[in-house]
Amino acid sequence: MAQASCPDQVEIRTSSPPPIHTRASSFKSSQRPRPTTVLFSVYTANSFVCILATCFLLFLLFILSQVSLLYSQSTPSSQWPLSLMHRSQKIILTTSSAIGPDAATAARASKLEAVEERLRDAVTFLPLKDLRFADQPADGHTWFMSSLNDTSIGGGPQHLRFPSEGSKGRVLCLRGRDSHDGSWNYYALAWPEALPRSATFMSGLTFVSYNHYDYHNLWHGLSTVFPFVAWHQGEGCLRPPERWVLYHWGELRAEMGLWLSKLMEGTFGKPTFVEVFDKIKEDSPVCFEDAVVMRHSEAGMSRERMIEAYDLLRCSARRYCNLSSEVNGDGKKRNTIRLTLLLRRRGRSFRNESAVVGIFRRECDKVEGCRLTVVHSDDLSFCDQVKLMSKTDVLASPNGAQLTNLFLMDQNSSVMEFLPKGWLRYAGIGQFVYRWLAGWSGMRFEGAWWDPVGEECPYPEDVARCFDIYKDGQIGHNETHFSEWTAKALSEAKLRKIGEAVPNKKQDPIGACACG
C-alpha cells in the first residue's frame, strides 16, 4: 500500500481586501486586485502528525500480538480462564508501569475485576432433567445433566468429576432443591474464582446421586450407591464424602433407607449426611469444592472391580457390626454347612410356609453338620442381617429386596431363589437382578424356581397389566423338586467348603478391609 508523503511547504493564496473608494484613490478603482502568495513552512507540525500516527500503529500492533498470543497459549489448558486472568495481569502491569505503581495497581485490579465479572456472567444454568430425553431417561448420557459425558477408569464406574480436565477446571454448581419436578432444578459449571452471584461454596467431597427408582428399597438403593463405593476404593479410600445429594428423576430426596444408610456409614467410617439445602436461601446456587456424580449404577464396570467393591462392602459391614471372621482351624467348623431360609410376609411369600420349612429341614437333617436357620427378614436389624449372612453357606429365599443381603455371605456361598406364577413371562429382565448380584459379588447362583401353578392372566397381550396381577402373588411349592434341589445344593456346598478350607489358618478377628 502506497504511503502518503508529508509536504514541506504549503502555498496559501489569499485575496487583497476590497479597495476603499475615496477621491484620492478613485482613479485606481478600475484596476483588478492582484492575489498575494504567502509561503508558510509547516514542517514541524506535519512531522508531529506522522510520529503520532506511527506510534498509534505500533501500539495497535502490540495489542493485537498480545491478544493473539494469549488465545493461542490458553486454549490447551484446562485452566484457561485463570491463565487469561494471569496473563491479563502481566499485560496490565507492563503497559501501565509508566504511570506509577499506585495507578498501575488500581488499573490491574480494575481489569481483573472486569475479567472475573465476564466469567461470572458466562455461567449458564441448565435443567437437571432434560425432557428432550424423556423417552430414554437412563440411556447414554441420560436425561440427568444431559450435556455432560461420563468417564470410566480401569473398569471402574462411569462418573462425572468436578473439577477435572473434562470440566476444564470448573466446579459443579446446583440450584436444585425442588422435590416434585426435576425440570425446575438446575446445574451449571463455574470457575472457582468466578462463582455465580450469591453462591454458597461447600468444601470437601460431595457425592451427587441419580436414582431412577428409590433410596429405600434395598436393591435399588444399593445399586445406586455401589458405584460410589467402587470409585472411593479406586481412589485409595483416601477421603470420605462430607455429604450426599440424592436425586430421583431429578427431584431432590431427603433421605436414604436405614439399611442403606448404615451400610454407607460402615463403609465410609462416618454417619451418612444427606444435604437438602434447607439452610440456603431459596433459588440461591450452591457450588462444591469437589463433586462426584453417578447416574449409571453398575453399568460399564468390569466384574473384577465389582467383586473388589463388594468385598469392601462386606468387610466394612462386618467391621461396623463388630463381627469376627469365623476361625476354620479346628476342623469342626469346616464340616458345618449353614443353611438359611430367609422368608417374607405378605407379597411373594410361600403359600404353605410350614410345608416349605419342613422340606428344607428334612434335607438338612440328612447332611452331617448341616444347621438350618429360619427367619423373616423384617424381624432383623441391619447388624442382625449382617451377622446372619456371615454365618450362611446356602441361602434360600423368595424374590424380594431381602435377597440383597446375599453379598454379605462369604464368597462362593450359594443362592436359591423362588418366584411367583407369571414372573417368567411378564417380569422382564428385572427378575434376574439377584442372579446378577450373585455373580457380581462372587457368589454361586444355584438357580431359580418359577411357580407354574395358578390362574392365567385375562389380558395376555397387556404385559404391564398382567405383571401387576402377578407381582406380589404368593408362591407354591413342589416337594419333589425342592427336596432334590436342596440336597444337591447342600452336597456341593459341603464339598466346596472342605476343599477351600486350609487347616490351622486363622483370619484376623476384624481384618483391615482391602482398599485401593
Side-chain angles (χ1 to χ4, degrees), residues 341-489:
L341 189 55
L342 188 60
L343 301 174
R344 291 171 59 95
R345 294 187 172 94
R346 297 177 294 277
R348 275 170 275 165
S349 61
F350 285 110
R351 188 176 294 109
N352 190 341
E353 185 177 283
S354 60
V356 174
V357 172
I359 295 171
F360 278 89
R361 192 176 303 280
R362 286 196 301 273
E363 295 305 318
C364 185
D365 289 343
K366 296 177 183 178
V367 179
E368 183 182 358
C370 183
R371 302 289 183 268
L372 174 65
T373 300
V374 180
V375 64
H376 289 84
S377 61
D378 51 6
D379 293 336
L380 305 176
S381 68
F382 172 74
C383 282
D384 288 339
Q385 295 173 71
V386 176
K387 183 177 181 179
L388 176 66
M389 292 298 103
S390 69
K391 296 182 177 181
T392 297
D393 298 308
V394 179
L395 174 65
S397 182
N399 175 278
Q402 78 287 342
L403 262 175
T404 308
N405 285 288
L406 67 85
F407 75 89
L408 295 168
M409 299 187 294
D410 292 337
Q411 276 198 36
N412 286 322
S413 296
S414 298
V415 181
M416 305 168 65
E417 183 182 10
F418 306 84
L419 300 99
K421 162 77 175 180
W423 272 62
L424 184 59
R425 180 174 180 181
Y426 299 110
I429 62 173
Q431 62 191 301
F432 304 119
V433 294
Y434 299 110
R435 181 191 302 264
W436 300 338
L437 179 57
W440 296 340
S441 57
M443 305 302 161
R444 299 175 64 90
F445 190 77
E446 300 293 347
W449 183 79
W450 288 267
D451 189 353
V453 179
E455 296 183 2
E456 295 298 326
C457 176
Y459 320 101
E461 302 303 322
D462 192 335
V463 174
R465 194 171 182 182
C466 284
F467 183 63
D468 284 341
I469 294 173
Y470 292 123
K471 180 179 179 181
D472 289 319
Q474 288 191 308
I475 305 172
H477 71 280
N478 182 312
E479 184 168 352
T480 301
H481 179 78
F482 281 17
S483 297
E484 294 175 353
W485 189 18
T486 304
K488 182 175 182 292

Side-chain angles (χ1 to χ4, degrees), residues 213-259:
Y213 297 97
D214 64 71
Y215 293 94
H216 286 84
N217 177 278
L218 271 62
W219 159 251
H220 294 309
L222 176 63
S223 65
T224 301
V225 302
F226 175 75
F228 289 102
V229 176
W231 178 87
H232 175 69
Q233 186 179 45
E235 293 290 310
C237 302
L238 297 178
R239 186 166 56 150
E242 294 297 323
R243 65 193 65 81
W244 294 73
V245 182
L246 308 178
Y247 285 103
H248 166 71
W249 285 23
E251 302 160 2
L252 190 66
R253 292 294 177 258
E255 62 182 13
M256 59 177 67
L258 181 61
W259 182 92

